[in-house]
Amino acid sequence: MKVPIARTKLTEKEFNIIKKPLESGWLVQGPYTKKFEEKWNSFTGAKHSIAVTSCTTALHLSLFALGLKPKDEVILPAFTWIATANVVEHLNAKVVFCDIDLKTFNIDVTKIEDKITSRTKAIMPVHLFGLSVDMDPLLQIAKKYNLFVVEDAACGFGSKYKGRHVGTLGDTGCFSFHPRKAIATGEGGMITTNDDELAEKMRSMRDHGAAMSDFQRHHGAKPYLLAEHPYAGFNYRMTDIQASLGVTQMGRAADIVSERQELAKNYNKALKELDFFQLPYKNENFIHGYQSYPCVFDIHNSSLSKVNLINEKRNIFMDALQKEGVSTRPATHAVHMLKYYREKYQVSPEDFPNAFIANECSISFPLFNGLTNKEQRFVIKSIKKDI
Ligand SMILES: *Cc1c(COP(=O)(O)O)cnc(C)c1O
């Protein structure tokens, strides 16, 4: 048996709906994109949802629309997907890394205030792997220092903080529809915001800065006149082909979340007794969406002094599982340890010790919609055998 780390579950409904935009001839940012945005609003409780081409462009557009300038500083966790930091670089602003809390893999909110300078403009909390950041204290700091909050909610589908969906707590929230995420449209992203003016601006900026979308113009009174362009925008438009897939999956949104939570529960039950892995953090104020199932390997020994040894043991374990057909991955990477960032910012792994440990000692097991009980039992059996 072979169990991949992720596998996109597509149903008959997706195969059927994808023909609709093709048949209609309207392929880009049309009725399906609008419907996807409406469904996203009602699922997350956001006032505005704006579909774009990826979470990366969602993050970039958020910072651009908020007016981030060269040399401005943005605080973000050292352990996240590289895209969170890259968008800051794209605006010639400065990345300021903050260490994480190893228990949650999320930014250590108690360490943020020390990083604030007169140039700090924004904080980017990342709700990693579907677990919300502790947002109340973070928002308090943002308010105190007048900072923007751009939530990287790429993994945050179905994740809640004190009853509120992530992505609706900061100035903007950014989601991903890459196949590794719970809703998959191939490529794709969504920005949520409760700010009317900012929403209007981002809608325009995703579409070359046009004051009116092509769909509005073509269906308006004067389709022959081109739109005014108040901004120098981008082309970050989603296609209606992608959006049709999103619309269909949103039709079973609650099931997608509960299936993932059920799979996580099975792992929790089976792996707890081993007392070897740190399992995903659980707390009633933080509803986990389980984009993935991230653990720390040999948690009782995973410390800065033993990081090399545990990393070696983890890799041998991953290799054994791979040979048996079970795919695993490090949870994600520590961005400050990647060549571009370590060289540009002259940082060493130990500067952010928890991110360093997470980079070397984390391990994610297969969790995705459509993972069968038989497959999961095989994964668990293999883990127990190879540990
Ligand atoms: C997946 C991911 C991204 C990037 O999403 P794309 O849609 O591939 O651009 C950004 N941040 C985090 C935390 C992610 O997991």
Side-chain angles (χ1 to χ4, degrees):
M1 189 183 283
K2 273 203 162 50
V3 186
I5 192 72
R7 183 173 65 213
T8 305
K9 183 180 174 181
L10 297 169
T11 69
E12 207 52 40
K13 285 200 168 118
E14 275 96 321
F15 288 105
N16 289 329
I17 203 165
I18 201 167
K19 293 184 198 135
K20 300 278 162 118
L22 300 179
E23 283 163 1
S24 81
W26 193 277
L27 301 184
V28 172
Q29 200 180 280
Y32 281 100
T33 301
K34 187 157 182 280
K35 206 181 249 182
F36 190 20
E37 292 173 342
E38 284 163 5
K39 284 187 180 282
W40 202 262
N41 277 340
S42 60
F43 187 78
T44 61
K47 193 167 177 199
H48 304 280
S49 292
I50 299 152
V52 290
T53 50
S54 68
C55 181
T56 305
T57 55
L59 294 165
H60 182 243
L61 185 53
S62 294
L63 292 177
F64 184 81
L66 287 167
L68 201 76
K69 297 271 180 317
K71 297 202 174 67
D72 284 348
E73 294 178 5
V74 180
I75 298 170
L76 53 95
F79 191 63
T80 177
W81 185 245
I82 190 170
T84 323
N86 284 349
V87 295
V88 176
E89 290 293 310
H90 296 158
L91 289 160
N92 294 317
K94 188 181 167 199
V95 171
V96 176
F97 291 114
C98 182
D99 204 6
I100 58 158
D101 180 346
L102 195 59
K103 277 199 180 59
T104 61
F105 289 115
N106 281 335
I107 192 164
D108 184 341
V109 179
T110 65
K111 295 194 175 133
I112 292 177
E113 214 161 348
D114 285 346
K115 307 277 173 190
I116 293 173
T117 73
S118 59
R119 287 191 182 280
T120 310
K121 284 285 150 56
I123 310 173
M124 295 173 85
V126 183
H127 309 294
L128 218 48
F129 317 125
L131 178 71
S132 174
V133 170
D134 193 6
M135 289 300 284
D136 278 347
L138 186 142
L139 291 168
Q140 244 166 35
I141 293 167
K143 195 166 172 195
K144 182 171 163 191
Y145 294 94
N146 200 22
L147 307 175
F148 295 122
V149 175
V150 171
E151 300 176 67
D152 181 340
C155 313
F157 184 70
S159 315
K160 290 189 174 168
Y161 179 70
K162 298 184 179 173
R164 292 167 69 191
H165 201 285
V166 300
T168 63
L169 303 150
D171 293 283
T172 76
C174 302
F175 295 85
S176 171
F177 307 127
H178 179 272
R180 270 301 296 273
K181 311 293 158 63
I183 302 287
T185 63
E187 297 285 0
M190 192 73 82
I191 312 177
T192 45
T193 183
N194 297 324
D195 181 326
D196 299 343
E197 211 173 302
L198 186 60
E200 199 54 37
K201 206 169 172 181
M202 293 191 295
R203 272 186 205 291
S204 168
M205 285 174 171
R206 76 169 158 180
D207 188 14
H208 302 291
M212 185 191 283
S213 77
D214 285 343
F215 194 81
Q216 286 169 329
R217 186 163 57 81
H218 281 241
H219 294 86
K222 292 179 181 168
Y224 47 83
L225 294 181
L226 297 182
E228 176 58 290
H229 287 248
Y231 308 107
F234 308 93
N235 178 359
Y236 286 170
R237 290 179 306 232
M238 178 178 273
T239 68
D240 256 28
I241 304 163
Q242 294 164 309
S244 74
L245 299 176
V247 167
T248 307
Q249 289 167 38
M250 289 310 286
R252 54 175 195 269
D255 292 342
I256 287 174
V257 177
S258 62
E259 184 184 353
R260 300 182 91 90
Q261 288 169 339
E262 205 53 43
L263 290 167
K265 217 185 266 178
N266 296 342
Y267 277 136
N268 288 343
K269 203 167 147 217
L271 301 184
K272 203 171 152 193
E273 64 192 35
L274 298 177
D275 193 27
F276 183 80
F277 298 103
Q278 174 192 281
L279 305 184
Y281 183 75
K282 268 176 66 181
N283 177 306
E284 60 187 19
N285 285 331
F286 302 74
I287 303 289
H288 212 307
Y290 294 106
Q291 177 265 334
S292 59
Y293 190 85
C295 299
V296 179
F297 186 82
D298 197 357
I299 183 61
H300 301 303
N301 286 303
S302 285
S303 59
L304 201 53
S305 61
K306 291 188 192 161
V307 73
N308 292 334
L309 177 70
I310 303 304
N311 174 258
E312 222 170 283
K313 282 172 66 181
R314 182 202 66 173
N315 292 352
I316 291 168
F317 176 70
M318 291 170 99
D319 194 52
L321 283 175
Q322 189 70 45
K323 287 199 170 100
E324 276 172 67
V326 175
S327 293
T328 61
R329 296 283 186 278
T332 188
H333 47 207
V335 180
H336 75 291
M337 292 169 67
L338 301 171
K339 184 174 164 66
Y340 175 88
Y341 289 95
R342 68 172 187 262
E343 288 181 358
K344 174 161 182 185
Y345 290 97
Q346 292 289 303
V347 281
S348 56
E350 295 82 3
D351 291 344
F352 306 96
N354 289 332
F356 178 30
I357 296 169
N359 188 78
E360 303 294 290
C361 307
S362 64
I363 181 164
S364 286
F365 297 112
L367 190 157
F368 49 85
N369 294 98
L371 177 70
T372 66
N373 285 335
K374 197 172 158 204
E375 286 174 320
Q376 193 175 29
R377 279 199 300 272
F378 175 67
V379 173
I380 290 165
K381 206 176 97 194
S382 305
I383 292 171
K384 288 183 173 171
K385 180 169 153 248
D386 290 332
I387 201 178

